Amino acid sequence: MINRRCSRTACTEPAVATLTYVYADSTAVVGPLALRAEPGTYDLCREHSRRLSAPRGWEVIRLPGDDSGPRASSDDLMALADAVRRVGLGEGAPDPGQPPAVSRRKGHLAVLADLPEA
């Protein structure tokens, strides 16, 4: 189990969520606690993750997660959260084997089209 503290000043509570800003999309993404601390992300305790608000004109996306701590998962939402973190940090290029993206907004975030079942 990873033992990190909330990034908010003077807060000593254990972190249960990770906040990532996607500046190009004016979006804040709050998801399950990342397996490791990354530059440009913020670990938040339960209370601060619930009370998070974004500046006017920004969107907050809250991904469901387990508040008990981080864990490896192949779940689609975890993959999305990891992809958003990588894009927010300027890492990685889209995998050509991935399904095509259907953009709902301009910027980095997109909705992926479902693959037809075989």
Side-chain angles (χ1 to χ4, degrees), residues 56-75:
R56 185 175 297 157
W58 280 58
E59 181 179 4
V60 176
I61 297 175
R62 296 180 189 276
L63 300 176
D66 180 6
D67 286 352
S68 65
R71 63 174 188 222
S73 172
S74 62
D75 182 72

Side-chain angles (χ1 to χ4, degrees), residues 36-90:
R36 64 177 193 255
E38 298 283 346
T41 63
Y42 304 91
D43 295 333
L44 300 175
C45 66
R46 183 175 286 115
E47 184 64 25
H48 285 124
S49 66
R50 286 183 187 151
R51 291 185 5 204
L52 177 81
S53 62
R56 185 175 297 157
W58 280 58
E59 181 179 4
V60 176
I61 297 175
R62 296 180 189 276
L63 300 176
D66 180 6
D67 286 352
S68 65
R71 63 174 188 222
S73 172
S74 62
D75 182 72
D76 290 343
L77 290 175
M78 290 300 296
L80 174 62
D82 290 337
V84 169
R85 285 186 191 105
R86 282 194 308 273
V87 168
L89 296 170

Side-chain angles (χ1 to χ4, degrees), residues 76 96-102 112-118:
D76 290 343
Q98 293 291 328
V102 179
L112 298 179
D114 288 334
L115 289 176
E117 295 197 21

Side-chain angles (χ1 to χ4, degrees), residues 3 16 20 25-27 37 40 47 60-61 80 95 98 101 108:
N3 189 16
V16 298
T20 304
D25 291 329
S26 300
T27 303
E47 184 64 25
V60 176
I61 297 175
L80 174 62
D95 182 3
Q98 293 291 328
H108 295 293

